[in-house]
Amino acid sequence: MIESPNRIAPGNGHGELRKPCKRGRLAIITGLVALLATTGLAPAQPASASRTATPYLPAPTGSHPVGVTSLYMKDTSRPDPWVPTVKYRELMVSLWYPAKSPGRKRAQYMTAKESELLLKDGEITSIPSDTLSKTRTNAFTDARPAGRKRSLPLVVLSPGHSKPRSELTGLAEELASRGYVVAAIDHTYENVATTFPDGRVTTCVTCEISKERGWWVKLEKSRAADVSFVLDRLTGAHPTWRSAGLIDTSKIAMAGHSAGGASTVTAMLDDSRLRAGIDVDGTVESTVPASGLSRPFLFLGKPATYTPGKGETAASWERVWTGLTGWKRWLLMTGAVHMSFTDLGVLVDQLDIEDGADIAGTRAMAITRRYVTAFFDQHLRNKPQPLLNKPSASYTEITFCRPQAKTCA
């Protein structure tokens, strides 16, 4: 519930605002502001000495410099699922990759207009409207890719509902620095602001839709279709990316946060090219068929929502868990809130905005990067990762859950 005019109600595993107030009083917020709305954040008091003037993402830990490019994709085979008058599906994709050397131009986190719209949508006035656009990244725009033909695994990333693809930049940069190609998708009309090359900015049509379980199933199916289309455009005969020949098409996987994590299950069921998947803190509404899903899968979430036996959101993972017949893990990060698994946990700390987490944003990002990378190294590169087999003294915040026994340790 809303405790005061400056207190915003917490969200669920879809990243969706629970609105006890009149419709429209508090908008769903994209990016940083979206997560303010969905995790119980309140703007900090003005003028704190701890606030960082220019937000920045922690440097990736891999050996490669990182390049990034933006790709526009148009699927003429289907109308837009949310705006039927648009007869085709348009998508913007950010593609990170290992580079031969740093480029001249560091990539922009988001545009000034996007930052302005996100902050305005969240009624956040305590920081300048272009603050998010100034976030310092570690990737260089259109730097020359490194790698041999068909040598780089591909990971697709899907953000939470109403969230921009940029919220997963820190994770994408880490994977790219370790030799992965990473494609993060903006799911059009599911985000407060998506900017296209011609200057158009689409807004969040789905934010205004009343959402029952069946609606979330539709969203997961729609996102799965987006993912398959992006794979077609990256690995087909006429790829959108001119360096697509570097991608090893036998080593493709997916991870997502919130609704993007939930959609990973459906995407894997619908597209066998996805060899492994991760759901990060996302409530799954779709079901796994009786035949099961035999490819590797990782759940990574927060104890408040996904402790086995503790409520309906955890039950959604338990239902999927029973259908996973291959390698699987269920991990929880102590002290985390919904935003802790994305860039936003880091950025709110720097901007002196309280998010309710008991773990620092930089620590949460380091842990998320470490376990996600370990999972993909093991299942796409066949490099065994003992970290995934039992609790680690280096990462005591991570507990391993046994859903059948309703225990985590």
Side-chain angles (χ1 to χ4, degrees):
M1 62 180 290
I2 296 180
E3 298 171 355
S4 74
N6 293 322
R7 189 67 180 174
I8 301 177
N12 58 27
H14 298 299
E16 179 68 6
L17 181 65
R18 297 171 186 165
K19 296 182 180 179
C21 54
K22 291 182 179 179
R23 180 178 178 178
R25 176 185 169 101
L26 292 173
I28 299 295
I29 306 168
T30 309
L32 172 64
V33 181
L35 287 170
L36 300 182
T38 60
T39 52
L41 301 185
Q45 295 301 314
S48 168
S50 64
R51 178 175 291 175
T52 301
T54 301
Y56 62 93
L57 298 179
T61 64
S63 60
H64 297 281
V66 178
V68 64
T69 192
S70 293
L71 303 175
Y72 166 72
M73 300 183 182
K74 182 176 178 179
D75 186 356
T76 58
S77 70
R78 58 186 173 126
D80 189 274
W82 313 118
V83 184
T85 55
V86 178
K87 300 304 180 184
Y88 43 82
R89 181 68 163 161
E90 294 180 287
L91 297 172
M92 289 301 301
V93 176
S94 288
L95 198 75
W96 290 266
Y97 51 86
K100 290 189 174 181
S101 62
R104 296 180 179 179
K105 183 180 179 181
R106 200 174 290 264
Q108 189 176 33
Y109 190 68
M110 63 175 61
T111 69
K113 186 62 176 178
E114 288 169 339
S115 178
E116 175 191 339
L117 291 175
L118 302 183
L119 294 172
K120 180 179 179 181
D121 185 68
E123 300 178 6
I124 304 297
T125 59
S126 59
I127 57 178
S129 64
D130 62 348
T131 296
L132 300 181
S133 70
K134 295 180 178 180
T135 300
R136 181 180 173 87
T137 69
N138 302 286
F140 295 88
T141 301
D142 297 326
R144 189 178 178 187
R148 302 182 312 278
K149 185 176 180 179
R150 306 297 180 197
S151 67
L152 305 180
L154 170 64
V155 175
V156 179
L157 298 181
S158 178
H161 177 248
S162 81
K163 314 302 188 296
R165 66 192 192 274
S166 59
E167 76 159 350
L168 300 174
T169 297
L171 177 59
E173 290 179 342
E174 176 70 15
L175 289 167
S177 78
R178 293 178 172 274
Y180 290 84
V181 175
V182 185
I185 305 172
D186 251 357
H187 301 280
T188 312
Y189 297 113
E190 301 172 32
N191 177 8
V192 168
T194 298
T195 303
F196 286 90
D198 61 5
R200 287 176 299 129
V201 179
T202 58
T203 55
C204 189
V205 172
T206 57
C207 290
E208 301 304 317
I209 297 175
S210 177
K211 300 168 183 64
E212 304 297 336
R213 179 182 180 276
W215 186 90
W216 289 108
V217 172
K218 177 182 177 180
L219 180 82
E220 291 166 16
K221 291 291 289 185
S222 174
R223 289 198 171 198
D226 287 348
V227 170
S228 290
F229 172 66
V230 169
L231 293 183
D232 291 343
R233 295 303 303 269
L234 288 176
T235 65
H238 304 285
T240 303
W241 186 39
R242 64 183 180 181
S243 298
L246 298 173
I247 296 172
D248 183 342
T249 56
S250 70
K251 297 178 179 179
I252 301 175
M254 178 178 172
H257 175 248
S258 196
S263 300
T264 300
V265 175
T266 302
M268 290 184 68
L269 290 170
D270 289 355
D271 198 322
S272 61
R273 290 175 293 184
L274 295 169
R275 305 307 305 162
I278 303 176
D279 176 358
V280 180
D281 217 50
T283 304
V284 184
E285 299 294 356
S286 300
T287 57
V288 177
S291 57
L293 178 60
S294 61
R295 281 160 279 158
F297 201 87
L298 170 67
F299 284 119
L300 175 62
K302 60 184 184 299
T305 311
Y306 296 108
T307 298
K310 303 293 184 181
E312 181 55 32
T313 50
S316 79
W317 281 17
E318 291 174 291
R319 288 191 292 269
V320 174
W321 183 265
T322 59
L324 298 174
T325 60
W327 187 102
K328 57 187 177 181
R329 295 290 185 274
W330 181 320
L331 308 182
L332 300 179
M333 186 190 299
T334 302
V337 294
H338 194 51
M339 72 164 54
S340 298
F341 304 95
T342 73
D343 302 347
L344 308 173
V346 170
L347 298 180
V348 296
D349 283 356
Q350 295 173 6
L351 295 170
D352 196 30
I353 297 172
E354 174 58 46
D355 67 355
D358 292 324
I359 184 172
T362 52
R363 176 63 175 171
M365 175 176 283
I367 294 172
T368 301
R369 284 173 161 183
R370 182 69 183 88
Y371 279 85
V372 169
T373 300
F375 176 83
F376 289 134
D377 279 352
Q378 177 160 316
H379 297 295
L380 293 184
R381 288 177 159 157
N382 299 315
K383 296 179 179 180
Q385 300 291 315
L387 180 71
L388 300 174
N389 295 330
K390 61 182 180 179
S392 167
S394 299
Y395 302 101
T396 56
E397 298 92 339
I398 292 293
T399 58
F400 283 62
C401 295
R402 298 172 57 215
Q404 300 91 330
K406 311 293 186 187
T407 60
C408 300

